[in-house]
């Protein structure tokens, strides 16, 4: 009698364990299906939306885009003058901008490096790029300093006075200098449009990878279920 009860207990315990596993698996499966629906819905929304259709797309002018990784967060532009002078720009999106009535949700950070031919040092400008409703975009310089060589980036090296301590006319002159190098409204409009469009494309690609992973998991579970049945 005791042996029978023991065997029955073991069988019931095993069945309860299997039932719990079934419930957990079923619940997880339903959650995966909901997530898959979310991925599909978000992909459809992003592909159907044209967030920046009213934005001024701008122009590269004489700059060219450096080939970069599709997953890179920044964009690098270069321009070489007939004199041998070189200008390089690195731009990346900043944190979200919560100001209303803006087309682009983020400002951008831009570094501009200017190197004269036959000289080892270069001048670097750190800039904020922001949206302007009347002309698309604009930029402000918040740092300007020289680097003794293109490979010397140590923070311990003196780089000159703080930009904000310079005379206002000198600050304006530096900005006019960059505009003369081709870094004007058209280029900052291009950077804004390019960076935001690429971020959207990277987001859609991420969504598609997530969707593909859940689809593959669903297919694997279905094939496993068919095999066991």
């Amino acid at each position: 009698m005791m042996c029978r009860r023991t065997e029955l207990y073991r069988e019931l315990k095993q069945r309860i364990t299997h039932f719990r596993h079934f419930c957990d698996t079923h619940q997880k499966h339903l959650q995966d299906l909901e997530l898959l629906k979310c991925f599909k819905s978000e992909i459809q929304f992003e592909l159907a939306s044209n967030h920046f259709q009213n934005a001024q797309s701008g122009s590269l002018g004489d700059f060219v885009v450096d080939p970069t990784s599709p997953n890179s967060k920044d964009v690098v532009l270069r321009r070489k003058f007939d004199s041998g002078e070189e200008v390089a720009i690195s731009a990346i999106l900043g944190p979200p901008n919560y100001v209303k009535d803006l087309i682009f949700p983020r400002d951008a950070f831009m570094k501009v490096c200017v190197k004269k031919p036959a000289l080892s040092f270069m001048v670097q400008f750190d800039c904020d790029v922001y949206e302007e409703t009347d002309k698309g975009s604009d930029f402000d310089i918040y740092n300007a300093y020289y680097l003794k060589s293109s490979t010397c980036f140590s923070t311990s090296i003196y780089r000159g006075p703080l930009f904000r301590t310079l005379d206002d006319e000198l600050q304006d002159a530096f900005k006019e200098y960059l505009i003369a190098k081709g870094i004007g409204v058209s280029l900052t409009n291009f950077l804004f449009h390019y960076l935001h469009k690429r971020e959207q494309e990277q987001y859609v690609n991420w969504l598609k990878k997530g969707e593909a992973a859940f689809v593959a998991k669903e297919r694997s579970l279905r094939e496993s279920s068919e095999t066991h049945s």
Side-chain angles (χ1 to χ4, degrees):
M1 184 71 173
M2 182 63 67
C3 291
R4 183 175 177 279
R5 286 180 177 178
T6 302
E7 291 177 2
L8 181 61
Y9 171 76
R10 288 176 178 173
E11 183 179 354
L12 287 174
K13 185 177 180 181
Q14 187 177 24
R15 288 189 179 186
I16 290 172
T17 301
H18 287 166
F19 179 73
R20 285 176 176 172
H21 176 72
F22 171 79
C23 290
D24 291 341
T25 303
H26 182 66
Q27 182 65 28
K28 187 66 169 60
H29 178 61
L30 291 178
Q31 291 175 351
D32 288 347
L33 289 178
E34 286 300 316
L35 282 173
L36 181 58
K37 288 179 182 178
C38 290
F39 273 105
K40 289 180 177 294
S41 175
E42 187 68 8
I43 290 171
Q44 291 175 357
F45 172 77
E46 287 295 331
L47 294 178
S49 302
N50 191 351
H51 303 296
F52 317 117
Q53 60 181 348
N54 297 322
Q56 300 182 44
S57 57
S59 169
L60 271 171
D62 293 319
F63 283 88
V64 295
V65 180
D66 250 15
T68 54
S69 167
N71 296 322
S72 175
K73 292 183 178 181
D74 68 334
V75 58
V76 177
L77 311 180
R78 298 187 185 275
R79 179 183 182 183
K80 189 169 185 177
F81 292 81
D82 294 336
S83 63
E85 183 180 36
E86 297 178 68
V87 179
I89 298 172
S90 173
I92 188 171
L93 290 176
N97 188 336
Y98 296 105
V99 178
K100 294 182 179 180
D101 301 325
L102 293 180
I103 297 174
F104 296 108
R106 297 172 182 251
D107 291 344
F109 299 121
M110 176 175 70
K111 292 184 181 294
V112 182
C113 294
V114 182
K115 187 178 184 301
K116 299 287 186 179
L119 296 178
S120 60
F121 70 87
M122 65 180 182
V123 182
Q124 178 174 312
F125 300 88
D126 297 337
C127 311
D128 285 323
V129 184
Y130 52 90
E131 186 174 340
E132 283 281 359
T133 54
D134 58 337
K135 56 183 178 182
S137 64
D138 201 352
F139 73 94
D140 289 331
I141 303 172
Y142 63 88
N143 264 332
Y145 42 82
Y146 80 97
L147 301 172
K148 290 185 178 180
S149 74
S150 59
T151 59
C152 182
F153 296 96
S154 174
T155 56
S156 63
I157 296 174
Y158 177 67
R159 300 183 177 187
L162 294 175
F163 188 78
R164 66 175 180 271
T165 65
L166 300 178
D167 180 80
D168 289 345
E169 291 186 1
L170 183 56
Q171 293 185 35
D172 293 339
F174 274 128
K175 183 171 182 177
E176 290 301 322
Y177 172 77
L178 292 185
I179 293 174
K181 298 301 179 186
I183 306 170
V185 172
S186 185
L187 187 70
T188 53
N189 285 347
F190 170 84
L191 285 173
F192 252 157
H193 195 270
Y194 183 90
L195 287 169
H196 281 87
K197 283 289 291 182
R198 191 174 65 172
E199 182 184 53
Q200 182 189 26
E201 290 170 359
Q202 291 173 347
Y203 176 55
V204 171
N205 288 337
W206 177 82
L207 289 172
K208 288 182 177 179
K209 288 180 180 179
E211 178 192 30
F214 278 108
V215 168
K217 185 177 181 181
E218 173 69 17
R219 185 185 301 114
S220 176
L221 288 173
R222 185 169 60 251
E223 290 174 352
S224 176
S225 176
E226 291 173 352
T227 302
H228 287 87
S229 61

